[in-house]
Structure formats: structure tokens, C-alpha cells
Amino acid sequence: MIVIENVAVATVDPSDTYHADGHVVVGDDGRIAAVGAGPAPSLPRVRNGVVPAAPGDVRRVDGGGCLVTPGLINTHHHLYQWATRGLAVDETLFGWLTTLYPIWGRLDAEVVGAAAGAGLGWLALSGCTTSMDHHYVFPRDGGDVLEAEIEAARRIGLRFHPTRGSMDLGRKDGGLPPDNIVEATDEALLATEKAIDRWHDPSPGSMLRIAVAPCSPFSVTERLMSEAAELARRKGVRLHTHLAETDDEEDFCRERFGCTPVEYAERLGWLGDDVWLAHGVHLDDSAIAKLGATGTGVAHCPSSNARLGAGAARVRELLDHRVPVGLGVDGSASQEAAHLGEELRQALYTARIRGGPRAMNAREALRLGTMGGARCLGRQDELGSLETGKLADLVVWRLDGLGHAGIDDRLAALVFGPAAPVELALVGGRPVVERAELVNADADTLAGDAVRAHRRLVAGER
């Protein structure tokens, strides 16, 4: 049992309840037992209906100078890309991809495991408690790269939603990827089904769920897209892909398919409340209306979109049409900072660049990073807000240091101020970060492993 008191609380519940001085109580079942204003009530019945027998059963956390929020949820990432950061830094998306595809063709399980460990460790330190990953490069001699990143997530302690991605449209057939890193269509579908059968855990409180994620319209055939959707729905898992990220993609879809990216997705059965799309930058009014009407989600990646010069997503309009919108850091090779806490501010700034200072406020930015992400991943009944009975995935942010001095509104300090240190992060009630340090892994070791993986992949060093 953990009692966090003397702390500001942003619940992100349906009423956006905020307590300037409040408490959160976590039961030994890994769920939230109480949340409210003022001090915690005297020892709630949280252990199978019985008050804990001894004071040693209770950990009390003084949250003075802190804000507690739901844990942040990362809705788009490519963890393997941690091994190729700092490359092609002045390219558009297509130029960046064609530069890096040949390097990614040398990926193996050792490199992916090291990259994923570094990426997930850094995410945890940035306030993330649940992350997805979109992995779509499977070299034939690379070993089990999906298993490697799953093991990395278990080591760090994050809740994990990896996707089994795929590419089957190589350069010789009009696609963007080199032919040596695409899979045969049947092979990709079979491997995806095997990944679901082996890894997907649909049970309440699950730490591991799989989704189906063909890469993009310019790297996947129509058959793979449509049959992947059928597979996902037959297996009861979610669907994810890139869509409408750049003008180049829009031109590709109009030339090859005779329609916009969203019209193409609709044609192939890729709109629905079991689908979330990465980016959604270039959407017209009709596309936004279709996403809203179908409940299709969008993973908003403002820093990556800015780094690649892709544009600024119309997030205000998406929200006004009730589209589920979450935040994503995207792959670390297109967004080297990869800090999910900072994406709150980036999302707010991006919205305001498009629509002025009233286009988004701090509470809306936090909602994107929490409940919006939970909706994209289909976990809104368990994650995304601090409410009694929900999973105790939460973050205590320290906001009384020099960087936040003089900002009385704790939520404004978190969103508008510099990146806040994580005093405590819990996943299912278990600490994964304490006093800005990882609990289950050593950051220096993760960094060393990542450097060796980078040198081995990029420079061929052993």
C-alpha cells in the first residue's frame, strides 16, 4: 500500500478534477484505492477488504512540491531507431528513410534489445508508464527482434503494447524500401498471427498486448493492408499504421491509388474504433470528419513532425470532432530527444502556432498524453486517469526546483516549464523510477549498450 499526500493532483477524470492539495492511495492490488482533496483518510480498506495489520505495510510519500498525474502513454515509437540517432538530420521523411533503410537492414536481436532498453529506460525517466512500439523491419538473419524488445520492456518495468509491423512493397514494385528488407505477403501475415498467439495478453491489467501494424501506404501492398485488418479483427487486437504524415505521401496515394490517404484507408477497412493512425498531419475537413465519425484514433507526434519538416497536425479540429488523440515521441532517429514529458509542451505550442493561444490549454495537453493515449490503445477503462479502481500507473513530478521556481500553478509548471524530474513513477503500483533514477536497470549500463549497438550497426564495429 502506498499513500501519497501533501501533493497537487491532476486526475484527468471526466470532470478534469484538480486538487491543489490532495492525496492518492494505491492498494496492494496495484490499483487506485482512493484519490481526493486534503490528507488521505485513515487507512482505507484496500487489502482484500481488510485494513493492513501493521504500519510497515504502508509506504507514505510526502508529495510536497510535487504534482501527481496519470502516467504518460506513448502511442507511437520505433525503439530500434535509438541505434541510428543523429543521422540524416536535414532530410524530409522520404530522404531520411532512403538514407536509413540500408542501415536498418543490418538490424538483429542484439541491437534491437540494446536500443529498446535505452529507449524504454529514457521514456520511463520522462514520465511514461505505458508505451507502444511499431517494429516493421525483420531481417532474415536478425533473430527474434520482437522478443528482444519485449524482454527490454520487462526489464525496465513498463506496460508494453508492441506491434508486429511489416513491409511487402519493395522498390522494384513501386514502393520506397529496398527489396532486401521487405517480406513476402503471406510470410508477414503468418508471422503476425504467430506473434499474437505467442505474446498477446488480453486479460485485465495486462502488461503486454500486441497490435497489427503494416508500415505505411508507400511500403505495403493493398492485399497486406486489407488482410492484416481481417487478421486483427479475427484475433481481437488493434490496428496501427502511418498515415497522412507528409505531402509526399499524399502525392504517392493520389498517383498510385487515385485517392487521399484517408480515402485509401477507408477503402481497405482501416477506419474504426479499433484503429489508431500515426501522425495525421495532412488531413482535410472531410478526412477529419471521417476519423471522428468512425472513432479512429491519431497518435500526434509534434516534435518528429517538426524535425522532419512534415507540418503541424490539426489537433484542435481533431479534438472538436471527438477523434481520440494521443501523443507519441516517434522513433528516436527522427526525434532524438524522445522525451514524452516534453511532448506535452510541444503539442500545446503546435496547436497554438496553428490556432492562437486558445487553441489548447495545459489541461488539454495533459489529457492528450494520458487519457487520449489510453483511448488510442483501447485501455481507457484501466489507464489514463486517476480514479478509484483504475490501475495505479502514475507519476509524481518534482516541481519545486530552480527550473520551476515561481510558477504557482503546478499543472502550468509541468506543461509550460522545463522537463520536470520524476520523483516517483509507478506501474501497477510498482516503482519503476525513484528520485529521477531507474529502479530496475542502470542508466549508465543502458547507455553503454546503446553506444555499442550504434557503432556495431552504423560503423560495423564488433
Side-chain angles (χ1 to χ4, degrees), residues 100-102 104-106 136-139 167 177-183:
L100 293 177
Y101 275 143
W104 296 339
R106 300 193 292 271
Y136 52 84
V137 182
F138 293 87
M167 299 188 294
D179 296 317
N180 67 315
I181 64 169
V182 301
E183 299 174 278

Side-chain angles (χ1 to χ4, degrees), residues 51-63:
V51 173
D57 290 333
V58 180
R59 176 184 175 183
R60 293 190 175 272
V61 177
D62 182 354

Side-chain angles (χ1 to χ4, degrees), residues 312-392:
R314 299 172 63 190
V315 174
R316 181 70 269 160
E317 291 93 332
L318 289 167
L319 294 175
D320 289 344
H321 281 78
R322 301 185 181 277
V323 175
V325 180
L327 291 183
V329 297
D330 203 0
S332 303
S334 71
Q335 205 279 83
E336 281 78 359
H339 191 287
L340 191 55
E342 291 183 343
E343 291 303 291
L344 301 176
R345 182 174 67 253
Q346 292 296 97
L348 183 144
Y349 283 178
T350 299
R352 291 185 174 193
I353 285 172
R354 290 194 62 97
R358 297 189 183 277
M360 183 173 291
N361 61 39
R363 292 192 181 197
E364 289 174 310
L366 179 60
R367 182 169 287 275
L368 292 184
T370 54
M371 181 53 72
R375 291 180 67 199
C376 284
L377 299 185
R379 302 295 295 268
Q380 62 268 30
D381 291 339
E382 294 188 297
L383 304 173
S385 63
L386 301 179
E387 299 179 78
T388 302
K390 282 198 163 186
L391 293 169

